[in-house]
Amino acid sequence: MLKKLSGVTGFCLLFLVSLGQLKSPEDFLGYKVGTRFTPHWKIVNYFNHVAANSPSVMKLQQYGETNEGRPLLLAFISSAENISNLENIRKNNLRLTGLMNDKTAAEENSPSIVWLSYNVHGNEPASSEAAMLTLYALADPSNSKTKEWLKNTVVIIDPCINPDGRDRYVNWYNSAVGKNYNPNRLAREHREPWPQGRTNHYNFDLNRDWAWQTQPESRQRIKVYLQWMPQVHVDYHEQGINEPYYFAPAAEPFHEVITPWQREFQNTIGKNNAKYFDASNWLYFTKIRFDLFYPSYGDTYPTFNGSIGMTYEQGGISAGLGVINDEADTLTLADRAMHHFTTSLSTIEISSLNGKKLVAEFRKYFSNAMTNGIGEYKSYVIKYDAADAQKIDKLLDLMDKNGVQYGTGSGTGKGYNYNTGKEETFTLNANDIVISSYQPRSAMVKVLFEPKSKLVDSVTYDITAWSLPYAYGLTAFATKDKIVVSGNVTKVKTTNTETSYGYVMPWNGVRTARATGQLLKKGILLRYSETAFEINGNKFDRGAIIILKTANKRAGNNLWATVREVADANNIQLYPVSSGMVDKGVDFGSDMVHPLKAPRVVMITGDAISSSAAGGVWSFFEQELDYPVTQVLANDIQRINWNEVDVMIMPDGNYRFLNDKETLEAFKNWINNGGRVIALEGTVAQLSKAEIGCKMKKDDDADKKDKDKTAGYDALKKFEDRERDFVSGTTPGSIFKVELDNTNPLAFGYPGYYYTLKQDDQVYEFFKDGGWNVGVIKKDNQVAGFVGAKLKDKLKDGLLIGVQNMGDGSVTCFADDVLFRNFWENGKLMFCNAVFLVGQ
C-alpha cells in the first residue's frame, strides 16, 4: 500500500512540475501555430501562462478592453534585472524626452524599448499567431540569443490591437472551413462576408485612428504608449495574397519632420530583415507603396513621437489557412506567421545591437525639439470665440490625449491667417490658446497644425491635408515668432440657474445637439428660431433652442430640474428668460419659431454599403450624439414601414433598390409625404441618376473643346508613368473652402464658410428651382493638400452641400464625408443640423 501511495505521490508531483513549466505555443494550444486559427481568448490564456511561469522576465498588463468586452493586453519582456526595475526604466525613458517633470537626471546608459503591435486589422490575423511565437522565444530560458538581446532591451508586445475584429474573422472562418482547408480561391472560406473583420466593433479602421483617438481601443492604447515612448515601434499587417513581404525602409513621401537618423535606422533594420529572408529564399520588397506622411498610422504616429516607426506587411488577406496564389504556390497561415515571427526577432536583435545609439539619438531628438522648435512656424494661436467654445474644448481634449502642451499668452504678433491665407497681425486675448513648437512633442505639433504640409511625392497612401484649424473650423494663426506660454487654460464648468418661464440654448456645437436629442427623448417640447434675436441683453444666432413651459405641462414640476440636469451634464449654458417678447428680432410665438420634433432615424447598412462609412455614422450616434438610430440592412429596404421613419441616412455605398421600380417609387412617395433623406458621398451621385437630389455637373463647352484638341496626344503615355498618370486626375484628400448660406438651417451655427475634405472629383450643378445651394466652391478655393493637374479645373463653380425640396420632404446632399473618420470636427454640427433641423 505504501508503495502504491508513493507512486501516486510521484505522479502528482510530476504533474504539478509539468504545470509549472513554460510551454511553447504548440504544447500549450495542442496544435502547431499556423495549422488552426487561435481565437483571442486562447491567445490571452497563453500570455497569462507565460506570465505565470516566467514572472522574473515578463510582466503582463491589461490596459483596457474593447467595445465588446475583450481584454487588451501588453506584455513586457526583458532580463530579470530590467523587469525588477521596470518602472524606473519607464521614468528614465520619459526623462530622456523631457516629459518627466522631476529633478532626477536622465541616464543614457539605459535599455532601449521596442514595441511590437500585432493584428490592428482583424482579418489580417497571422501576426497574433506570430506574437505567441515571439513571446515564447523571448521568455524561453534556453534561448541564449534572446537572453543576450534582453540585457539592454525591453520588448513590449501588444498581441492583438483589435480583438473584436479578429474574433469576427476567426469565428466566421472556423464556421466556414471544412475538415481540411480548401486552397481554391473560389472556396467559401476565402470569401469573407460584410462587414469583414478588418475593423473594430463600430467598423472603424483602428490603423487610421492613432492620432485622432475616436475609438476606445485607440484611447486606451495611446495613453499607455505615451507613458513609455519606445525607441522602435512596428505595426504588423497583411496585404494581398500575391504580394511578397514588405518591410522598411518606407516609401516616399516622408514627412519633412522625419530626421536623417530615423531614415538611416529604417535602412539598418531593413538590411537585418533582408539577411534572414535571403537566407530562407523568401521574397520581399521595400521603399514602395507604404509612405510616412499621414499622421494617424501605426508607423507615422510613433515616428512623429521620436520613434523608428515601421509597417511590416505579409501577403495573406483572405488566405485562410492556405490559398493558391498566382504563382501556383500554396501560401499557408504557418508561412505567414513564420515571416512575421522572423521580422519580430530580427527587429529586436538589431535594436539591441544598436541600443546605445538608439537611446542617444532618441534623447537628441527631443532635446532639439525643446531647444529649437521644429518647423518654420514657432507658435500656433487659436483665437477664442464663445461660438467656437465647444470645438475648442474638443481640440484641447485631443491635445491632452496626445500629450501636447498648450497655454495662454499675451501681446501682439504677425502670422499666417488660416481663413484668409494671408500674413496678418493679431492680438492675443485672455482666452486665446497658444501651442508652442518649443516642447517635446514639437514634431507632432508641426504635423497637426501646419497650414500646408510639404509633399515631395504625389503618389501617397492616404489623405494629404488634415490641418486641425481647418478640421475643427477655428480661427487660427501660424506665426514664426516664439510666443511665450505664460498661463494655463482654465476649463470652465457651467452652472445653470433657475427659471420659471423658459430657457434659450445657443445652437453652436455637438454638445448642444446632444442635449437637444436627450431632451427630445424625454418628451420635452423644444422650439428653434430660424432668425437671430436679442433678449435680456444676450444675442442669439439662428438655430437657438427655446424651451418654454408652454406645451410642456405634462413634465410637471420636474421640467426645469430635468432641463438643467441635461444641460449641466453636457456643460451647456442655459439663458433664463421671463417673457416671450424679445428685444430685437421675432417673438417666441412667431411663425419663424418652429416646433422641434424628435426624429425617428434609420440608417441603411449591410452588404454593398461601405462598412467604414456606415460605421462612422453609427459610432457618431452612439458615442457622441447619444441619440437612437435604427440600422436597416440594404436588402431589407422593401420591408420598411415608411410611416415609422422620419429621417433616412444613406452612407456611401451601392444602393441596388434604386434600380427596382416598385421600391424606388415607395421611396419617392415617402419623401414627398415628408420624409427626409441625408445622402453622403457617392450616394449623392447614385440618387442623381435616379433624378433625386443634386444633378451631376457636366464639363462646360470650353473644357470639352480643350479635351477634344488634346485627345489624340493624351493617348501617348509611357507605361512606367501609369501610376502618376492616374493620380493626375485624382485627389487623395485635400481641403477646400466652401462658401455657405448660413441662413439655411443646414448651416446654422456656422460662419459664411466651411472647410471640406475632398477625396473625389464629384461636383454638382447649382439648384435653379426647388432646392437650396447651401455650400458651393468657386474658383481657387483649394486650401491645402494635393489635387491632380487634370482635376483642378473641374473642382470649381459647383455645389457640394445642398437641400432639394421634394413635396413635403427633402433630400440633403453631402458630396463629401462631413464625419470623416470622426475627427473632422467641423462637419459634425452640420450633420446634426441635417438630422434635427432641416425639414422641420
Side-chain angles (χ1 to χ4, degrees), residues 124-176:
E124 300 173 13
S127 65
S128 282
E129 310 289 344
M132 292 186 287
L133 296 173
T134 304
L135 178 65
Y136 178 69
L138 295 174
D140 181 4
S142 67
N143 193 323
S144 58
K145 285 186 177 180
T146 59
K147 284 174 70 176
E148 189 65 29
W149 302 340
L150 294 177
K151 289 179 180 179
N152 70 339
T153 309
V154 173
V155 178
I156 304 175
I157 293 178
D158 189 328
C160 188
I161 288 177
N162 182 13
D164 292 351
R166 177 185 174 82
D167 272 2
R168 188 185 314 134
Y169 172 77
V170 168
N171 292 337
W172 167 79
Y173 183 85
N174 287 340
S175 72

Side-chain angles (χ1 to χ4, degrees), residues 114 187 203 321 348 381 383 431 527 569 584 664 688 695 829:
V114 177
N203 302 138
L321 291 176
I348 296 167
V381 175
K383 299 294 291 179
N431 293 323
R527 293 174 167 83
K584 191 174 181 179
L664 177 60
S688 176
K695 291 184 179 180
L829 181 61

